[in-house]
Amino acid sequence: MARRSLAVDSTPEEHVIRTAHQPRLATSRRVRRTLAAFTVAALLTAGCTLPAFAPRTEVEGAAAPTGSAPTWRPCPEVPDDLVGRGAPGMRYECARIAVPRDWGTGGGASTGPGAGETFEIALLRARSTKQRDRVGSLVINPGGPGGSGVDTAVYLSFGPQFGGLPTSITERFDIVGFDPRGVSRSSPVKCISDADLDASFGFDPDPAGQSEFDGFVGLSQRIGRGCGDRYGDQLPLYGTEQAARDMDAVRAAVGDDKLTYLGYSYGTLLGATYAQLYPQRVRALVLDGAVDPQQRLVEGSESQARGFERAFTNFTRWCAANAGRCPIAPDARAAVTSAIDKAKVSPVRGAGGREATAGWVFYAVISSLYTESGWQELAQAIDRLAKGDPKDVFRLADAYAGRGDDGHYSNLFDANLAINCADETEKPSREQIRQLQADWRGKYPLFGPALAVGMLSCVEWPGGRDPYPTGKANGAPPIVVVGTTGDPATPYEQTPRLASMLGVGRVLTWEGEGHTAYPQTSCITDAVDAYLLDLTVPREGLRCPAR
């Protein structure tokens, strides 16, 4: 996301990540609610703890040269570090592969930035001890961009009782996660200081005065300069098309002739790009929480503003109908708006003197809208903030931001910004952004201004751009595109657009709330499982109920 990019895509209490190519709020509650809804409550019941999804344990070992088979080694320390233990009946193995920094036209560029150099890509596979009639590998990407596929493969390996993948899937596939280039364990991008990330997340989400707006411009410029100074002309190499080519190297590394893939949120963009580049190498792609690749920066930002505004309205209606569970009922919108307004002039101080500024309150709201289960948490956090206790606001916002108790950040948003901005060719002027801020304040009062101002992050980003393709996946088999009608980060309207763009997409709809659908209900799960296992495409127009 870059600061205001809502991460699309993918949960610390659950895990999670961010949305899509637009820098918007990271589609992803880093908290990562984004994914499947691998809830922390369930893990705590099992005696485990689930952190956000920061890069904690390194995947050790030398990277296999490009095109060669990797060396897999047992790595039980990865789930131990993330969750406290591995899933029962699961074995975990890790490897690294080397990929060209610049794939050029497919085989590696011979000139230009990164020519002749490589990035290391970290892989983890979870294999059930009960595996039978193996189909192959199911490659996972949780979204973000910036989300760790290594972490997500661990989370999803725990099975349906914890919101993970069904046993029908884990007993037929190796579950393979990889950290895309620049993310977590894979040659990570790290160029934004903790202080600047604190300033970015804590900044007024609607800097109405010109001096305040200019202050965010200055912060965006400082962040851009720092990353430009560190990575220079190699910044465009972190784009989505390069990562999609890496994914074909992952496919080859796990020994599959064709790719079977599950991508959430931004992961749908990565999967769609792969399908255009390698249509004949697709076995089955499930793209859940669809990103419309044809929308550019302004359109994508407005789409997220609309989606979050709609999700927030659904939250307020739930509050009004469930006053016993919502301490800020009957008017939750007024309570949240008041909390943000008060934080602009008199922020509540927490432990160590940390101030719950308007930005932190805003991101607590964002964090809570990725799953319907977060609604009650949000209501409680706003209620406690009004009583002088900001602890829950910080907990929610920090989970989204990937901020640890020690004030240190993972590289989620460094990678998010590098990838989003490498992809993005549209560059509205500061004056245009200022006008959109005012226009969207009227249309999307809580989220519009922040999404407008957030575009400055890529506008002020240095380096060239490397846009991904936006065409048909000619020659690919049917691809399942899943959308949730109440999705805030990747609004449902993007689902049929992605399916149509690919030309081979089949839409599967979940009439639920939150970000992403699989494996939330039996209807969704049965449809996706049949496709992954037997290549049975969901019937045209299938809509699954919320429950």
Side-chain angles (χ1 to χ4, degrees), residues 269 271-277 279 292-294 296 468-476 479 497-505:
L269 177 63
T273 302
Y274 182 91
Q276 294 169 75
L277 296 174
D292 176 8
Q294 294 177 309
R296 297 267 45 98
Y468 44 76
T470 57
K472 303 289 185 186
N474 293 321
I479 293 170
R497 293 175 192 161
L498 174 58
S500 176
M501 186 201 81
L502 291 172
V504 293

Side-chain angles (χ1 to χ4, degrees), residues 304-356:
Q304 277 203 321
R306 184 185 306 114
F308 274 93
E309 200 72 48
R310 179 169 55 204
F312 185 76
T313 296
N314 292 343
F315 157 69
T316 63
R317 290 171 178 166
W318 170 86
C319 251
N322 295 272
R325 299 167 60 194
C326 180
I328 59 175
D331 193 345
R333 181 176 288 274
V336 170
T337 301
S338 175
I340 292 174
D341 288 344
K342 289 179 180 177
K344 293 181 180 183
V345 295
S346 183
V348 176
R349 289 182 179 270
R354 183 183 177 192
E355 294 185 339

Side-chain angles (χ1 to χ4, degrees), residues 10 102 161 233 240 308 413:
S10 185
D102 184 359
Q161 66 271 40
D233 58 6
T240 294
F308 274 93
F413 285 103

Side-chain angles (χ1 to χ4, degrees), residues 130-136 171-173 533:
K130 298 179 180 179
Q131 190 177 91
R132 57 183 175 77
D133 300 325
R134 181 178 180 273
V135 176
E171 291 182 3
R172 300 288 302 281
F173 288 94
L533 291 166

Side-chain angles (χ1 to χ4, degrees), residues 248 251 257-260 274 278-283:
D248 197 55
R251 175 203 57 77
D257 292 333
K258 295 189 175 185
L259 177 70
T260 304
Y274 182 91
Y278 307 104
Q280 304 293 341
R281 297 178 190 172
V282 172
R283 176 185 174 273

Side-chain angles (χ1 to χ4, degrees), residues 78 235-236 252 378:
V78 177
L235 281 175
L378 172 59

Side-chain angles (χ1 to χ4, degrees), residues 44-362:
L44 291 174
T45 300
C48 304
T49 59
L50 180 63
F53 82 147
R56 300 184 183 277
T57 304
E58 288 298 317
V59 177
E60 300 292 347
T66 303
S68 64
T71 300
W72 295 90
R73 64 162 191 87
C75 54
E77 69 277 6
V78 177
D80 286 351
D81 189 51
L82 288 169
V83 186
R85 63 174 173 84
M90 282 287 175
R91 294 193 299 264
Y92 300 91
E93 296 177 301
C94 294
R96 288 182 175 275
I97 59 173
V99 298
R101 291 196 178 193
D102 184 359
W103 282 95
T105 58
S110 58
T111 61
E117 298 180 274
T118 60
F119 285 130
E120 289 191 358
I121 305 299
L123 312 177
L124 176 143
R125 71 180 176 195
R127 177 176 290 175
S128 172
T129 58
K130 298 179 180 179
Q131 190 177 91
R132 57 183 175 77
D133 300 325
R134 181 178 180 273
V135 176
S137 296
L138 177 61
V139 177
I140 306 288
N141 181 273
S148 168
V150 168
D151 291 3
T152 302
V154 171
Y155 297 142
L156 293 182
S157 73
F158 273 79
Q161 66 271 40
F162 297 123
L165 295 173
T167 54
S168 59
I169 297 298
T170 58
E171 291 182 3
R172 300 288 302 281
F173 288 94
D174 295 342
I175 309 306
V176 175
F178 72 102
D179 290 350
R181 57 173 59 200
V183 174
S184 192
R185 306 164 180 85
S186 295
S187 302
V189 174
K190 192 59 185 168
C191 54
I192 309 176
S193 70
D194 292 339
D196 280 346
L197 284 166
D198 269 351
S200 182
F201 283 105
F203 212 93
D204 186 342
D206 183 12
Q210 189 61 45
S211 62
E212 289 79 11
F213 180 85
D214 291 343
F216 190 66
V217 170
L219 176 58
S220 299
Q221 290 175 330
R222 183 166 71 245
I223 288 172
R225 281 195 303 271
C227 293
D229 289 347
R230 182 157 188 177
Y231 295 103
D233 58 6
Q234 295 202 20
L235 281 175
L237 301 181
Y238 293 100
T240 294
E241 182 173 342
Q242 298 278 2
R245 295 188 184 278
D246 295 345
M247 197 155 69
D248 197 55
V250 172
R251 175 203 57 77
V254 298
D256 288 355
D257 292 333
K258 295 189 175 185
L259 177 70
T260 304
Y261 174 76
L262 172 61
Y264 292 101
S265 195
Y266 163 81
T268 69
L269 177 63
L270 188 59
T273 302
Y274 182 91
Q276 294 169 75
L277 296 174
Y278 307 104
Q280 304 293 341
R281 297 178 190 172
V282 172
R283 176 185 174 273
L285 304 185
V286 176
L287 309 181
D288 185 1
V291 173
D292 176 8
Q294 294 177 309
Q295 66 183 7
R296 297 267 45 98
L297 181 61
V298 173
E299 184 183 359
S301 296
E302 183 172 11
S303 176
Q304 277 203 321
R306 184 185 306 114
F308 274 93
E309 200 72 48
R310 179 169 55 204
F312 185 76
T313 296
N314 292 343
F315 157 69
T316 63
R317 290 171 178 166
W318 170 86
C319 251
N322 295 272
R325 299 167 60 194
C326 180
I328 59 175
D331 193 345
R333 181 176 288 274
V336 170
T337 301
S338 175
I340 292 174
D341 288 344
K342 289 179 180 177
K344 293 181 180 183
V345 295
S346 183
V348 176
R349 289 182 179 270
R354 183 183 177 192
E355 294 185 339
T357 62
W360 291 114
V361 179
F362 175 78

